Amino acid sequence: MSNDSRYAGKVAVVTGGASGIGAAIVRRLVAEGASVVAGDIDSAKLEALGEQLGERFTGLTTDVTSEHAVEAMVVTAVERYGKLDVGFNVAGGGGGAMLVEQTEADWRRVLDLCLTGVFFAMKHEARQIVDQGGGAIVNVASLNSRVPMFGGSAYCAAKAGVAMLTQCGALEFGEQGIRVNAVSPGLTETPLTAGLQALPGATDAYLERIPLKRVGQPEDMAAAALFLGSDDATYVSGTNLFVDGAWETTTYPDLRPFLAQLSRA
Ligand SMILES: NC(=O)c1ccc[n+]([C@@H]2O[C@H](COP(=O)([O-])OP(=O)(O)OC[C@H]3O[C@@H](n4cnc5c(N)ncnc54)[C@H](O)[C@@H]3O)[C@@H](O)[C@H]2O)c1
């Protein structure tokens, strides 16, 4: 973990900050000097983080599918720490079914959590960030914002929506000095993927498509997110940074056996 002070004196909110990628972002923000309000539905995990992180961390039970709750989280950051510089919108999750079996209730649940929750957060974060003269918003989308998966229509559609919402935010908030970017993780070792990764052969099926030959860690995603939220990225806005071990380079057939034949011909 870096010990530099890019975030010294900054105030951030992190949705989904109790676990996995969100918790890694929270830890690194505090280590780099920020004060952080984390909003999550998992009160017990927030409390445990609070015991480790001290005064510059506030955990607030927050359901991102409620606009009122999201607004309260943002206002808490301003009341407790005086302002808001950066919003990290991480809360999300999967679940789903093949398209023909997808229920309306499950479709709406995933869209509400992964897409509407990000919309609520961007709206209320931007209002506060403007008041203190600019800052940044970083949304966590997914490799599935561009790559479809079986049984993931709601999740993939929501994440593609997050990628577009990111661009709309960059367009609308730019004049007010707010940069908006997304991080799109590939497979990352968190509680969200633990069940899948425990299935025999599942991780290997992913690794076949990952030239870097390892699963991503929450800290890999936190490093990218903190870069985008920091003054190291002052001219970066509207981008969707894929942190996926080069997954998309493997969408083309492996031509090496054919190239060898051609060179012999
Ligand atoms: N792990 C991966 O492989 C992966 C890959 C691509 C994208 N992502 C995305 O990264 C983000 C974080 O996922 P993770 O892997 O760290 O999962 P995680 O399950 O470890 O963390 C997700 C957090 O979101 C919280 N949450 C769930 N519903 C919520 C709600 N309604 N309101 C507030 N908080 C809520 C959970 O309590 C949890 O703390 C998600 O948006 C996920 O879609 C993860």
Side-chain angles (χ1 to χ4, degrees), residues 193-230:
T193 56
L196 175 68
Q197 288 195 67
L199 299 175
T203 302
D204 287 343
Y206 275 87
L207 290 176
E208 266 178 36
R209 304 290 308 272
I210 302 172
L212 288 181
K213 295 297 169 208
R214 69 173 176 87
V215 173
Q217 295 301 311
E219 292 73 21
D220 295 317
M221 308 308 146
L226 264 77
F227 162 69
L228 291 171
S230 79

Side-chain angles (χ1 to χ4, degrees), residues 169-179 237:
L171 179 67
E172 292 192 14
F173 304 156
E175 285 178 4
Q176 291 148 320
I178 304 175
R179 298 179 300 99
S237 193

Side-chain angles (χ1 to χ4, degrees), residues 101-112:
E101 281 146 18
Q102 179 88 56
T103 63
E104 181 183 351
D106 215 37
W107 170 269
R108 290 191 189 280
R109 181 186 63 76
V110 174
L111 267 288
D112 276 357

Side-chain angles (χ1 to χ4, degrees), residues 15-23 39-42 45 62-65 89-94 113-114 140-144 155 159 183-193 197 218:
T15 72
S19 173
I21 294 167
D40 201 294
I41 50 171
D42 193 330
K45 278 193 184 167
T62 308
D63 182 344
V64 295
T65 66
N89 303 322
V90 191
L113 170 58
C114 291
V140 171
S142 171
L143 176 58
N144 295 121
Y155 183 76
K159 292 299 188 179
V183 169
S184 275
L187 181 68
T188 308
E189 203 171 307
T190 71
L192 185 70
T193 56
Q197 288 195 67

Side-chain angles (χ1 to χ4, degrees), residues 73-93:
M73 173 195 70
V74 170
V75 168
T76 298
V78 177
E79 285 176 356
R80 177 104 203 242
Y81 299 117
K83 59 174 180 165
L84 182 65
D85 298 290
V86 196
F88 293 89
N89 303 322
V90 191

